[in-house]
Amino acid sequence: MYVPNQMHKLTLKNIAKEIGVSISTVSKALKDNPEISEDTRQKIKAFAKLYNYKPNNIALSLKNRKTKTIGVIIPEIVHYFFTTVISGIEEVANQRGYNVIIGLSNESFQKEVINMEMLANGSIDGFILSVSKETQLLKDFHHLEETINQGMPIVMFDRTINEILCDKVIVDDSEGAKNAVLKLIDLGCKDVAIITTEDHVNVGKLRTKGYKMALRSRNISKSNEHILHLEERLYDPIFIKELEVVILDFLKLNPTIDGIFAVNEVYALSAIKAAKKLFKEVPKDLKVIGFTDGILSKYATPSLSTMSQHGKILGMKAAELLIRRLESTDVDFPFQTVIVETELIERETTKNI
Amino acid sequence: MYVPNQMHKLTLKNIAKEIGVSISTVSKALKDNPEISEDTRQKIKAFAKLYNYKPNNIALSLKNRKTKTIGVIIPEIVHYFFTTVISGIEEVANQRGYNVIIGLSNESFQKEVINMEMLANGSIDGFILSVSKETQLLKDFHHLEETINQGMPIVMFDRTINEILCDKVIVDDSEGAKNAVLKLIDLGCKDVAIITTEDHVNVGKLRTKGYKMALRSRNISKSNEHILHLEERLYDPIFIKELEVVILDFLKLNPTIDGIFAVNEVYALSAIKAAKKLFKEVPKDLKVIGFTDGILSKYATPSLSTMSQHGKILGMKAAELLIRRLESTDVDFPFQTVIVETELIERETTKNI
DNA sequence: TTGAAAGCGCTAACAA
DNA sequence: TTGTTAGCGCTTTCAA
């Protein structure tokens, strides 16, 4: 009678010794290789089943030179959008037999590089990543280039880099922004402002572009633009008060504003708070649309109309692109850029009353 | 001149062939083994550096029988608390040279089991996990027992299982709840209610217990308890309207309620919305405290006072416990349960005005 | 029908 | 000072 060793996983070697056959016989039997006689096959399979044999993943990875795991590098995990993306990646990955390993850059170039190096040495088959703000700022992409040159495929999402050739999944930020602003105009807003980030944040820049496109398309001149660029740090909850003050000043300075498109939920909610202080009622006196259909939009009072980025779908697409490339024998598969459409979720802040 | 092959990572074998020495010489040289002559060592290291040699993780894992990666299984990733925990785990793990691989159970027992099996076959050195609601309900813990019996350490957090012996990191739910309720009473509330989950959700049950403890300690009798147990599904944003209605009915039925302790942010915000409908002003007529210091609490209007669980610290502790056990030679290290204190974050919903 | 051997990339004991 | 060899767990070709 075989006594399973509590501390050591069952290996082919153990089974072979127990049954009295060779390792390769066991391997073949477990794979239902017809070479092996019905008799020994049964015996081996029964034994394996009884003691719950599971092949060692690491050994398989070494042998096959693929790990069946995907590395995901994101700037920040305490962030609704990124978590929806991860959930999408995970769903597709799992269903195709892949694991997901997560690295956080915390918006730091340094950490992004280290994390990628840590994973690129055999731990994963490919990356799905969204670069840190610092990387965007420094414009140093050597780590991405090197990874790709080593034959490790990368799929970039959301914050992508034009200079890097690889598969990409992006949100149509400028189009989404444009539609949001057009909606505000159509609702009767005469003076639509945008609250956005500094321009080096790519998605902020694109959304600002969309804002301008919308105004142009309705023949509103550049002199009637109201653009509030906010410093990076104001996004942090610890500066919530300061953020509100800055927006309040902006609204005071431009009292005719009756529509606001904010490039994220936080700016949108702060704008609503500021408006209240000025006795402007939302949506009666001021209509607001945000970006990202997160938890804040749903539970805000009034609930926030917003452009959904469909993060989960984005994640699913990214995982599909990566896995397709990993499993395709065709090395010269052309790179693809998938655009995930945004969608306006209409809630209370755009109600016409 | 060595021409690096774009598609294949540099291995010891390659280097050995290039330099004209044996594989083990290369291995030793790169580890600064004094056996190797200064001369060859320099040559080898220079070459490795030039072509950016990095040892293959998988090979090391197989050799060392440890992967230096931690498996984290959580019920849900689009959830503020869990993301803060992950960020804590990641920080400690990375700093100690570990990677983090994530599996999502989506609150399903089945997915929890599959995910764990997928990772337990050599991919990771140990688990950090919070069980799914379904697992709590079914009370089937065989997968946890088997994993532990195989010698794979587990650290459970937040949703832990008494029957399973392992390291644990928990939030002091009942104590936190008690303190929240005491605070409401101290603020002058005469009639404090709790909005909680069904009792099979462990943390809900504990928080309800804390509520009762607080009342008892202030000599408030059982007949003056107001407990609203809410169905699971009402937590989902798609039922936001229904949730509000249920709470509204509850408040109508108990018009004397002037303090609410809600076991999560969502219930708290919905209670505030419902109160508004009844023309109760928060915090003047009704004071509210939630649980979890998430994004909703910070950006709500009025901003929500809440019990912070310090998820990041919890994650850090969990990672420390696991890594300590992984790296300790002492197998019989006693199991520990670390309690992370909650902390009341006072905001507008408990202002005395 | 079964088994031996090589190899995935690396380390380390031992031999030369 | 350097190299040979065995082994981590598995697959697969080739030999018996």
Side-chain angles (χ1 to χ4, degrees), chain B residues 111-260:
Chain B
K111 264 212 83 184
E112 184 175 299
V113 173
I114 291 179
N115 252 304
M116 285 188 69
E117 281 176 354
M118 202 159 160
L119 297 181
N121 306 310
S123 300
I124 60 161
D125 295 339
F127 281 109
I128 295 178
L129 72 86
S130 193
V131 298
S132 74
K133 285 181 183 161
E134 204 185 351
T135 306
Q136 289 185 109
L137 208 56
L138 296 175
K139 294 190 189 303
D140 183 346
F141 311 132
H142 76 274
H143 55 307
L144 304 175
E145 284 158 359
E146 276 167 20
T147 307
I148 292 172
N149 285 341
Q150 275 168 22
M152 165 104 39
I154 291 182
V155 176
M156 305 207 354
F157 74 91
D158 194 47
R159 301 192 198 157
T160 57
I161 308 285
N162 286 332
E163 291 90 326
I164 301 291
L165 292 175
C166 64
D167 290 313
K168 290 168 187 168
V169 188
I170 55 174
V171 173
D172 197 344
D173 286 287
S174 57
E175 186 69 17
K178 182 181 163 193
N179 289 337
V181 174
L182 288 179
K183 177 73 187 183
L184 289 170
I185 296 173
D186 290 346
L187 283 168
C189 296
K190 300 292 173 218
D191 217 352
V192 178
I194 181 173
I195 303 181
T196 185
T197 63
E198 293 162 297
D199 265 352
H200 67 82
V201 179
N202 212 18
V203 298
K205 190 173 172 183
L206 287 171
R207 292 172 197 170
T208 308
K209 185 177 145 208
Y211 165 78
K212 292 178 179 177
M213 278 161 40
L215 296 195
R216 282 316 89 76
S217 81
R218 292 298 163 87
N219 299 311
I220 298 169
S221 72
K222 220 174 157 68
S223 59
N224 286 314
E225 279 175 3
H226 299 290
I227 303 182
L228 176 58
H229 287 281
L230 295 177
E231 288 172 74
E232 201 69 55
R233 62 182 187 94
L234 289 181
Y235 187 80
D236 193 309
I238 64 170
F239 294 118
I240 181 168
K241 288 290 166 209
E242 198 175 333
L243 172 63
E244 213 180 301
V245 169
V246 173
I247 295 177
L248 189 64
D249 289 346
F250 174 70
L251 290 179
K252 276 184 191 159
L253 213 67
N254 302 282
T256 55
I257 290 173
D258 57 359
I260 289 181

Side-chain angles (χ1 to χ4, degrees), chain A residues 192-330:
Chain A
V192 179
I194 180 173
I195 303 181
T196 184
T197 63
E198 293 162 298
D199 265 352
H200 67 82
V201 180
N202 212 17
V203 298
K205 190 173 171 182
L206 287 170
R207 291 171 197 171
T208 307
K209 185 177 145 209
Y211 165 77
K212 292 179 179 176
M213 277 160 42
L215 296 195
R216 280 320 85 78
S217 82
R218 291 298 163 88
N219 300 312
I220 298 170
S221 73
K222 217 173 159 70
S223 59
N224 285 315
E225 280 175 4
H226 298 291
I227 304 183
L228 176 58
H229 287 282
L230 295 177
E231 289 172 71
E232 201 70 56
R233 64 184 185 93
L234 289 181
Y235 187 81
D236 192 308
I238 64 170
F239 294 118
I240 180 169
K241 288 289 165 209
E242 199 175 334
L243 171 63
E244 213 180 301
V245 169
V246 173
I247 296 177
L248 189 65
D249 289 346
F250 175 70
L251 291 180
K252 277 184 191 159
L253 212 68
N254 303 282
T256 54
I257 290 173
D258 57 359
I260 289 181
F261 166 59
V263 301
N264 59 48
E265 296 183 310
V266 168
Y267 294 174
L269 293 202
S270 290
I272 294 171
K273 274 208 177 189
K276 260 184 204 158
K277 295 237 164 100
L278 293 173
F279 303 104
K280 285 195 182 211
E281 233 178 86
V282 177
K284 194 165 75 63
D285 309 321
L286 179 72
K287 301 201 187 338
V288 180
I289 297 181
F291 217 103
T292 298
D293 184 27
I295 210 85
L296 283 178
S297 304
K298 295 178 184 103
Y299 289 99
T301 318
S303 58
L304 180 65
S305 298
T306 193
M307 293 304 296
S308 167
Q309 299 154 294
H310 297 305
K312 183 160 186 179
I313 291 176
L314 198 155
M316 294 175 76
K317 283 272 175 230
E320 278 162 15
L321 279 181
L322 182 60
I323 293 174
R324 197 196 46 188
R325 189 165 293 278
L326 290 174
E327 298 186 347
S328 153
T329 44
D330 182 0

Side-chain angles (χ1 to χ4, degrees), chain A residues 5-47:
Chain A
N5 182 330
Q6 296 285 77
M7 286 302 116
H8 279 299
K9 286 223 60 158
L10 193 55
T11 65
L12 291 186
K13 204 178 177 182
N14 296 336
I15 300 180
K17 197 161 56 183
E18 264 336 291
I19 309 264
V21 291
S22 77
I23 295 175
S24 55
T25 302
V26 178
S27 175
K28 286 170 188 165
L30 291 176
K31 300 193 112 71
D32 279 321
N33 187 323
E35 277 181 8
I36 307 300
S37 73
E38 186 60 26
D39 204 46
T40 36
R41 210 195 309 176
Q42 289 305 328
K43 209 158 40 176
I44 290 170
K45 292 187 83 172
F47 187 92

